[in-house]
Amino acid sequence: MTLPRIVQSQPTPYLLGLDHLAQIKRDQLQFYARMRAKHGDVVRLRLGPYRSHLLFHPAHIEELLTRKWDAFIRFEKLTDVVRQWNGDSVLLAEGDEWRARRRKVMPAFQTKRLPHYGQMAVEQAERLGKSIAARAGTTGVQIDTDASMAHLTLDIAMRTLFGAPPCPNGNEVERAIQVLSSTAFRESTSPATLPDWLPLKAKRDKRWAMKVMDDLVSGLVHLRMKRGESGDQDDLLASLIAQHNGIFTDTRNDVMSLLIAGHETSGALLGWLFACLAREPHWLEKVQTELGTALEGRMPSAADIVHLPILRAVIDETLRLFPPAYTLFLRQASKPVDILDVSLKRGDLVQIIPYMTQRDERFFENPDRFDPTRFLGDQTWPKYAYIPFGAGPRVCIGQNFGLMETCLVAATLLSYITPAPMARIPDTHPQFSLRPRDGLNMIWHAV
């Protein structure tokens, strides 16, 4: 493995690093790129009262996520923000509580359940594909593909999480999730947080969004518990009710976390996937040819994924260039700890940014080029240079479900519609997840 590039010079903070916070809020990916280029694989920052460390090298990432992971908790300021609507959930728990919660959530993602979830995803995608194909007619139709994929994955989450039909206020729910995403970023990167009772638009939007999401999730959990049918249905909500022994609050909190985090990242990945295929028509043609050969005109199932290596490679390359989880949840040292050559004090922060490490020319040749052939042969990069779902004990619990969903949805939609070539990939807008700035307007044609 290439050794970390250690540069002695480090950023000079002004006003306790408030200048760095301002740059992060303005364009954090550009800020990270400048820091790595100038200061190497370890960058030490002052961010208000915190000492923060950016770690870009796979060796540091492996040490942190797999060997020293239990010396860290998730950044308390960020967890306090997200807890306002998520509650105490598997996403935010630490220590023994996290272990207990993860054991309860894991059965909902058992491999034996995935084919059934996949069938639901295909059914929802087929409805959308037929609808867009009908609207496209002979001239095509312009669609905000980012918004459309977010709405689709919300509908899929409703089926797989709750065994429920698409929510009638889907657009409202999607907007609420975007408001909470912006709120989490704003409040966790601000030196001070204003009280929620102030008559400000951002505060009104936050209160509205929290109510929309609580009404949705709490209402559906209450309804299922009142019916007493959780044992007769095969979905995530049934599994969580059983695993939490019918405790409403625990069930509600985990469902809220899984709904927001799961559908947000899956929708973002699908949007970036179709943007990449529209920008690279020769890879779109390769995928369509593979689908035609493997599926022979029928809808895909989970069992077909093994026969779609090109589609899977295209998804993996999209995840490399545009990981929805572009930065992992900020860690905070709970005790003094060494990460190889980096000594941390209790309370120090550590940030890992897959978006940067996965575009490092030391590990990926022509790193900014879309080239799925990287994933069609033997792996040539260090294991921890590619971590779109994280790694170690706290790796994304829904990784297998998310990959299956993306593959099946893409295969289904491309059976009905195809994107027109696109001149450029839209600019990124990193908040809770990596989304296109100002949406993703694309032209779609019927197949």
Side-chain angles (χ1 to χ4, degrees), residues 21-264:
L21 272 177
Q23 292 174 58
I24 289 171
K25 295 184 77 167
R26 185 164 55 247
D27 192 334
Q28 57 178 310
L29 294 181
Q30 270 198 6
F31 174 77
Y32 298 145
R34 287 197 305 271
M35 291 296 101
R36 186 184 65 176
K38 186 174 182 179
H39 303 291
D41 286 318
V42 178
V43 181
R44 299 174 180 86
L45 301 172
R46 166 64 67 176
L47 299 176
Y50 302 102
R51 294 198 329 160
S52 184
H53 301 73
L54 307 178
L55 302 182
F56 295 110
H57 196 275
H60 290 122
I61 294 171
E62 180 178 11
E63 182 79 359
L64 172 62
L65 296 184
T66 66
R67 299 191 183 96
K68 303 292 179 63
W69 69 275
D70 57 351
F72 295 87
I73 60 174
R74 299 192 166 197
F75 180 34
E76 290 179 309
K77 183 173 183 178
L78 179 53
T79 58
D80 287 345
V81 173
V82 177
R83 189 175 283 111
Q84 294 174 84
W85 51 85
N86 271 21
D88 291 315
S89 66
V90 66
L91 178 68
L92 305 179
E94 300 290 349
D96 291 340
E97 181 187 356
W98 167 74
R99 292 181 181 87
R101 279 189 172 274
R102 189 173 177 95
R103 282 195 298 270
K104 291 178 179 179
V105 171
M106 281 298 293
F109 291 97
Q110 288 175 341
T111 303
K112 67 180 182 181
R113 292 176 175 267
L114 294 184
H116 180 58
Y117 298 156
Q119 180 183 352
M120 296 179 186
V122 168
E123 290 170 359
Q124 293 299 136
E126 189 173 15
R127 290 190 184 95
L128 179 62
K130 289 179 177 178
S131 172
I132 295 176
R135 292 164 56 195
T138 58
T139 59
V141 61
Q142 180 172 292
I143 291 175
D144 182 346
T145 302
D146 176 62
S148 182
M149 292 305 104
H151 204 144
L152 173 61
T153 53
L154 175 61
D155 290 345
I156 292 171
M158 291 293 291
R159 289 283 307 275
T160 56
L161 274 172
F162 303 118
C167 52
N169 63 333
N171 290 334
E172 189 177 55
V173 170
E174 182 56 35
R175 178 170 169 257
I177 291 173
Q178 291 307 305
V179 168
L180 295 180
S181 171
S182 297
T183 300
F185 181 72
R186 182 179 61 253
E187 293 190 359
S188 64
T189 56
S190 297
T193 302
L194 296 173
D196 285 347
W197 51 261
L198 287 174
L200 302 173
K201 183 180 185 303
K203 297 299 183 180
R204 290 195 301 271
D205 288 348
K206 175 185 173 181
R207 292 192 296 269
W208 169 83
M210 289 175 61
K211 184 178 186 304
V212 167
M213 295 308 299
D214 187 59
D215 286 349
L216 171 66
V217 174
S218 295
L220 287 166
V221 174
H222 272 306
L223 180 63
R224 179 68 66 84
M225 288 184 168
K226 184 178 179 180
R227 290 204 322 239
E229 298 174 1
S230 63
D232 299 326
Q233 294 189 230
D234 187 20
D235 55 47
L236 287 171
L237 178 54
S239 175
L240 289 172
I241 290 173
Q243 292 297 320
H244 284 303
N245 298 315
I247 298 174
F248 169 79
T249 301
D250 288 349
T251 305
R252 178 261 181 214
N253 291 347
D254 280 339
V255 168
M256 182 71 80
S257 290
L258 294 170
L259 175 63
I260 293 178
H263 114 270
E264 167 86 3

Side-chain angles (χ1 to χ4, degrees), residues 260-271:
I260 293 178
H263 114 270
E264 167 86 3
T265 52
S266 293
L269 173 56
L270 281 163

